[in-house]
Amino acid sequence: MQNYKTNCFNSDNLSIKCGDRSINFEKPLVMGILNLTPDSFYDGGSYLNKAAILKRSEQILSEGAEIIDLGAYSTRPGAADVSAEQEILRLIPAVECIRKEFPDAILSIDTFRAEVAKRIVADFGACIINDISGGTMDDKMFSVIGELKVPYIMMHIKGTPQTMQQNPVYHHLMNDMLAFFRLQIKRLNEFGAKDIIIDPGFGFGKTLDHNYEIIANLQEFNQLDLPILIGVSRKSMIYKFLGGDPSTSLNGTTALNMMALDQGANILRVHDVKEAVECVKLYSKIKSSLQ
């Protein structure tokens, strides 16, 4: 293993604020996925009523995740578009019941729409906004994040969910991605937003080889001096290489998550929380034994 630093960004910035909650990065964190969509690539249609939503939320938290990430718009390649109104209608009852049952839970709202972000934060208080477009699909998003003063996950994407896998080409993959992040971070900072997390966007406008090149060079993002989120959970980059399908891709997910931790990842976004938490514990144990 190559990287044994406690964190990959400035030691003066070990935490970010989400309302009155502090998110601390002294050790890697786990974010559990809760899809509210009928057509997500792995568990679409599993959490469409309050009982199922609360059961999944309890599982995510009891298995050791610090954050619940709620998505109401399927971003699998080629997924159908849904309106902002439909997205909000899916989110409101879910966020409402989670807030009531688990008031201390840190919630992340997976949306690229400023309108959705503003509505949910206005109705339910501070949440992380997890934007798969990095501010490229709604020109109001950055101003809204600056206004809301909430943490923002800036993901890299090439194209849109409907077009992103149609022959993505880069001049130089890592340099192109770093240039994207630098530009978007500068733009977002100009609106007063400071609590930014970056996500390389595995599978979002990347070929199979691109995805593995990013994993191999993940430490290059450390120069941005921001926390790094990794989302490879059960994605096609695993089963298209090893064979199988999303249901058989837990072991590959775990292997890549451990590699990502070694390369400086601060958050693992996963379907399988228990296994990701075990990754963090084992990684932390190995790291502590070297000190």
Side-chain angles (χ1 to χ4, degrees):
M1 301 177 81
Q2 300 170 10
N3 177 26
Y4 304 103
K5 295 186 290 183
T6 301
N7 60 293
C8 69
F9 53 100
N10 194 306
S11 60
D12 294 330
N13 186 27
L14 287 174
S15 65
I16 61 177
K17 295 291 289 183
C18 185
D20 59 0
R21 298 294 306 277
S22 180
I23 304 171
N24 192 289
F25 293 102
E26 288 185 350
K27 71 174 183 66
L29 308 179
V30 174
M31 171 188 282
I33 299 168
L34 203 173
N35 283 318
L36 305 173
T37 56
D39 57 345
S40 292
F41 78 91
Y42 175 57
D43 55 2
S46 298
Y47 310 111
L48 300 183
N49 61 69
K50 289 185 179 181
I53 289 165
L54 288 176
K55 184 177 180 180
R56 173 60 176 160
S57 299
E58 183 178 20
Q59 178 189 24
I60 288 171
L61 296 171
S62 66
E63 290 184 354
E66 289 83 4
I67 305 166
I68 301 174
D69 187 55
L70 295 98
Y73 182 109
S74 178
T75 55
R76 64 176 174 80
D81 191 24
V82 299
S83 68
E85 291 76 16
Q86 181 63 43
E87 195 178 346
I88 290 169
L89 285 173
R90 290 173 177 174
L91 282 166
I92 284 177
V95 177
E96 184 175 44
C97 69
I98 296 170
R99 281 284 199 232
K100 182 177 179 181
E101 192 72 19
F102 307 104
D104 294 329
I106 298 172
L107 303 186
S108 166
I109 306 301
D110 187 349
T111 185
F112 59 83
R113 291 176 166 134
E115 174 186 353
V116 175
K118 193 167 186 175
R119 174 67 183 274
I120 297 301
V121 173
D123 286 0
F124 301 104
C127 303
I128 301 168
I129 301 302
N130 182 6
D131 180 1
I132 60 113
S133 81
T136 64
M137 291 171 61
D138 187 335
D139 59 11
K140 296 179 181 177
M141 179 61 90
F142 283 2
S143 63
V144 165
I145 295 299
E147 173 189 337
L148 297 175
K149 306 297 182 191
V150 294
Y152 177 77
I153 299 171
M154 176 184 290
M155 199 190 79
H156 176 274
I157 188 173
K158 193 176 183 70
T160 69
Q162 291 74 34
T163 66
M164 62 191 181
Q165 292 307 103
Q166 297 173 7
N167 191 33
V169 175
Y170 295 84
H171 176 66
H172 184 288
L173 177 65
M174 297 305 294
N175 287 347
D176 290 357
M177 291 179 67
L178 283 164
F180 168 88
F181 281 125
R182 288 193 178 99
L183 175 62
Q184 296 300 87
I185 290 165
K186 181 176 182 294
R187 290 184 59 227
L188 185 52
N189 287 160
E190 289 171 353
F191 287 98
K194 302 296 182 184
D195 290 332
I196 304 169
I197 298 162
I198 65 164
D199 176 354
F202 291 95
F204 285 78
K206 283 93 177 174
T207 65
L208 183 72
D209 287 343
H210 288 150
N211 289 316
Y212 286 97
E213 184 178 346
I214 294 166
I215 283 277
N217 294 282
L218 195 66
Q219 284 189 343
E220 290 193 26
F221 295 118
N222 293 352
Q223 62 192 274
L224 298 173
D225 202 29
L226 294 171
I228 301 170
L229 180 148
I230 295 299
V232 298
S233 184
R234 296 184 180 267
K235 285 187 174 179
S236 64
M237 64 181 285
I238 298 168
Y239 59 84
K240 284 184 177 178
F241 182 67
L242 297 177
D245 56 39
S247 70
T248 63
S249 297
L250 175 55
N251 189 56
T253 299
T254 299
L256 293 181
N257 279 338
M258 186 63 91
M259 176 64 77
L261 292 173
D262 187 43
Q263 294 289 319
N266 300 97
I267 303 175
L268 302 178
R269 181 181 180 273
V270 296
H271 299 90
D272 307 281
V273 171
K274 177 179 178 289
E275 290 80 0
V277 168
E278 288 177 350
C279 264
V280 171
K281 288 180 177 178
L282 290 169
Y283 174 74
S284 299
K285 180 64 174 174
I286 293 169
K287 191 172 61 173
S288 67
S289 71
L290 295 170
Q291 295 174 354

